[in-house]
Structures are given as C-alpha cells and as structure tokens.
Amino acid sequence: MVVIPTYNEAANIGELVTRVRTSQPDIDILIVDDNSPDGTGRLADAFSNSKIQVLHRSKKTGLGPAYLAGFRWGIDNGYEHFVEMDADGSHQPEELDRLLAASQNSDLVLGTRWMEGGLVLNWPKSRRFISQFGTRYAAFCLGLPFRDLTSGYRILSRQLVSAILNSNIQTLGYGFQIEIVRLAAQQNLTITEVPITFIERVAGSSKMTGKIVLEAFWMTTWWGFKRMVFRR
C-alpha cells in the first residue's frame, strides 16, 4: 500500500494517483488528508474506489502523525508492505519497481538522492545544503552508514511498521524519517538504499519550515548524545 499524506495538494494529487496506478496497477493507495482547506480531501473522495482509499484527519498535526495514522489503517487491513511517497510529485512512481524489488529482502528500503545513480532536479543550492548537511549530521550522530536519512520515498515492512506503532515516536516533522531509520537499526532490521530521482514540485507550496528543521536537528543531537554517553 502506498501511503500519501496530503495538506493543500489539490493541484498535484490527481496526477500523482494516476501515475501510481499506471505504473503499479496492482498496488493500493491510501491518501491521508489533514482537512486541507483547498479541498484535497474532497477531490480524493471523488476518485476513491476499492484500490484508492481516503483517510480524513481533523487537522494538520505533522507528517509523522499522518503517517502513523496511515500505518495503523494499513496494519488493521492486513497490508505487508508500506510505501511512503510525497504528494507533490517530487517522487517518481515510475521508479517504484526498483524499490519494490529491494523490499523483498529488506525491512526498510531508502530511496536515496545522495548516492551514485541518484539525482536532484530544480533545487536551489540552499535546499541541497540543508538536505546533505542534515543527513550527514544525522548519520554521524547516530553512527549510521546511510546516505539519505531524510528521504520521504521508502518502503517499510509490516514488521518495521509494527515496531514503529509500538514505540514512542517523538518527532512530528521530517525528523520522523530519521527516527524510523534509527528504530530500524536498533531493531537490527535489514536496510537497503536504492537511488532515486527527486524533482522539485511544480505546483503548490513546500511544507518545510524552520521549525521542522530545528526539530530534526535538536532531536538528532539528543539521540546522538544518548548514543555516545549512555550507549543507547
């Protein structure tokens, strides 16, 4: 199941769903809408069917809680693999084949921008710096070898999702993606990286804010401190 959190993505969601269905006709989609003022949820309801479900939440509380709600729904409905994908078109459904192939032998497949074969298009230097510095800093703090800890294009096994739902997830924004990798490593689960092409959105506005960046920075620093001082 592909889990797609949405907030004000009416300009993008229809095309994205069409591309996912064209690329992977057998895969199911769950759109998790946080009561978007632009009517994204109502638009999603209009094209929902047995393969496309919509989960409505009452308000926007962050990327992490939206994914957790989608994961609970998926666990309750018997899904074995969970795809994370942004709603803005930055992740290419046509590349999902390679991630799905890797997921057959991995509990977490990271769609990685910053490795050989990976590509980022239409990003300013400032965004590239924040992303690359952030993932390198997190990798250093957590003692992890992976090259894109903040990527939002990934596949999680049911075992990992169950561990996430049974843990005390602390982050709300993009730090949630770092926390998932940290948890998977602590659980000694198999993690694989696959190169992806990331293309900056062409419609709508980014949800990235300074507050989200600071949350990820401070939580990563705290986790690194605990790892180095308390060995946990």
Side-chain angles (χ1 to χ4, degrees):
M1 181 180 73
V2 179
V3 184
I4 306 175
T6 58
Y7 185 77
N8 286 349
E9 295 290 355
N12 297 307
I13 190 62
E15 180 182 353
L16 177 63
V17 168
T18 298
R19 289 173 63 192
V20 172
R21 298 288 296 126
T22 300
S23 175
Q24 300 291 333
D26 295 329
I27 207 164
D28 292 351
I29 298 171
L30 177 67
I31 298 166
V32 183
D33 186 68
D34 281 358
N35 197 22
S36 299
D38 73 346
T40 302
R42 294 190 299 274
L43 178 62
D45 282 336
F47 54 71
S48 64
N49 54 42
S50 62
K51 302 290 289 183
I52 305 169
Q53 304 290 328
V54 185
L55 178 62
H56 294 276
R57 290 171 13 102
S58 60
K59 61 181 180 179
K60 185 177 186 291
T61 58
L63 182 73
Y67 268 124
L68 292 177
F71 291 163
R72 290 189 191 96
W73 190 95
I75 289 289
D76 290 345
N77 285 275
Y79 289 91
E80 294 295 328
H81 290 90
F82 299 75
V83 181
E84 291 187 5
M85 184 182 292
D86 288 352
D88 59 11
S90 58
H91 300 145
Q92 310 312 301
E94 296 76 16
E95 295 185 320
L96 191 50
D97 269 338
R98 291 187 287 110
L99 277 73
L100 289 169
S103 73
Q104 301 308 305
N105 299 302
S106 300
D107 291 289
L108 176 59
V109 179
L110 299 173
T112 302
R113 297 161 289 187
W114 312 116
M115 67 181 294
E116 184 177 355
L119 188 64
V120 175
L121 299 177
N122 304 327
W123 252 13
K125 290 182 178 180
S126 59
R127 285 295 300 274
R128 287 174 177 266
F129 173 79
I130 290 171
S131 178
Q132 289 179 301
F133 173 79
T135 204
R136 289 173 182 171
Y137 180 74
F140 168 76
C141 288
L142 303 180
L144 297 173
F146 308 110
R147 289 161 287 188
D148 199 347
L149 299 182
T150 61
S151 170
Y153 197 10
R154 49 180 64 181
I155 301 181
L156 296 75
S157 69
R158 184 182 180 92
Q159 181 179 355
L160 174 55
V161 167
S162 295
I164 291 168
L165 294 177
N166 288 321
S167 68
N168 180 27
I169 294 294
Q170 300 172 280
T171 45
L172 301 177
Y174 286 92
F176 175 77
Q177 307 293 19
I178 300 172
E179 192 167 5
I180 285 179
V181 186
R182 175 176 180 257
L183 178 61
Q186 289 177 333
Q187 298 281 326
N188 293 315
L189 299 178
T190 305
I191 304 172
T192 301
E193 294 180 288
V194 173
I196 61 168
T197 298
F198 180 97
I199 303 176
E200 174 66 332
R201 68 163 66 235
V202 296
S205 58
S206 173
K207 310 305 184 295
M208 179 68 73
T209 65
K211 182 178 179 180
I212 289 173
V213 173
L214 283 175
E215 180 201 44
F217 175 78
W218 287 118
M219 290 306 301
T220 299
T221 302
W222 172 239
W223 294 328
F225 176 79
K226 289 199 297 183
R227 183 181 74 87
M228 296 173 190
V229 175
F230 301 112
R231 303 299 176 186
R232 61 189 176 92

